[in-house]
């Protein structure tokens, strides 16, 4: 069993990493392999809605960051955790640009895999950013993993997140809940809910 964690902060070892690392360490203790991917500081290409991924099976912008995540997902994951700092009440824009492409091109591979988001902020905006990230999961038939509180940690300067005792406990609870859910949802495709043919209601024709 494996969980992919995406660090949406340009700071590889900042407070968002500390929060995700707390999740990863607890998952490891539950016998689940983890891999943290940092998006880094390079510019990230956004989705241009070209539809090529539906024809070739991956995003036409085959940059290193996207391809690394594509390969990990294709190799097989059992859960996904996305972490981001809060910028103006929302997640990092570079992270959202990446996620738009990942979820659009890898939707079938992510369905029914437990997902969770983690946000880190100095003071405010955490719940709005948390809600924004969760929308990726809720449009893709992915069960949301909850915790004892919303998945948020507080900290401004690097390392301060470790001082948020409640936030770090929330991360550990999240990890244990994800491990529990993965074990109980470890089913084959034949065990999944039946799907109807999609219906699209467009009001402007």
């Amino acid at each position: 069993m494996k969980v992919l964690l995406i660090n949406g902060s340009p700071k590889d070892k900042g407070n968002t990493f500390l929060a995700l690392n707390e999740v990863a360490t607890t998952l490891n203790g539950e016998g689940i392999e983890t891999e943290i991917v940092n998006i880094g500081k390079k510019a990230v290409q956004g989705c241009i809605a070209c539809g090529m991924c539906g024809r070739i099976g991956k995003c036409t912008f085959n940059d290193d960051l996207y391809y690394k995540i594509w390969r990990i997902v294709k190799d097989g994951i059992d859960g996904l955790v996305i972490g981001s700092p809060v910028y103006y009440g929302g997640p990092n824009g570079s992270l959202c640009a990446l996620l738009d492409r990942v979820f659009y091109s890898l939707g079938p591979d992510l369905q029914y895999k437990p997902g969770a988001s983690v946000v880190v902020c100095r003071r405010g905006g955490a719940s709005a950013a948390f809600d924004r990230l969760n929308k990726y999961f809720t449009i893709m038939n992915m069960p949301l993993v909850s915790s004892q509180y919303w998945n948020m940690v507080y900290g401004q300067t690097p390392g301060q997140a470790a001082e948020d005792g409640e936030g770090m406990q929330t991360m550990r609870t999240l990890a244990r809940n994800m491990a529990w859910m993965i074990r109980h949802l470890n089913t084959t495709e034949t065990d999944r809910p039946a799907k109807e043919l999609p219906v699209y209601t467009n009001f402007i024709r």
Side-chain angles (χ1 to χ4, degrees), residues 45-50 52-53 56 58-67 98 101:
Q45 171 68 49
C47 178
I48 60 170
C50 65
M52 281 296 292
C53 59
I56 66 175
K58 59 183 177 181
C59 181
T60 189
F61 296 111
N62 198 20
D63 52 272
D64 291 342
L65 176 60
Y66 168 84
Y67 182 69
L98 173 67
R101 295 164 59 206

Side-chain angles (χ1 to χ4, degrees), residues 37-49:
V37 173
N38 299 304
I39 69 166
K41 294 181 172 65
K42 291 183 179 180
V44 178
Q45 171 68 49
C47 178
I48 60 170

Side-chain angles (χ1 to χ4, degrees), residues 6-12 14-17 19-20 39-40 82-96 117-130 132-133 151-156:
I6 300 176
N7 176 13
S9 171
K11 299 176 181 177
D12 288 354
N15 287 317
T16 303
F17 173 82
L20 289 175
I39 69 166
I82 300 168
S84 179
V86 175
Y87 294 164
Y88 294 96
N92 180 2
S94 294
L95 172 64
C96 291
S117 58
V118 169
V119 293
V120 178
C121 70
R122 181 192 70 84
R123 184 173 176 85
S127 58
F130 182 57
R132 171 72 174 85
L133 289 176
N151 303 334
M152 54 187 69
V153 178
Y154 290 87
Q156 180 180 14

Side-chain angles (χ1 to χ4, degrees), residues 98-117:
L98 173 67
L99 294 178
D100 287 349
R101 295 164 59 206
V102 167
F103 276 79
Y104 199 58
S105 61
L106 287 166
D109 299 280
L110 294 171
Q111 288 190 96
Y112 304 107
K113 307 291 176 66
S117 58

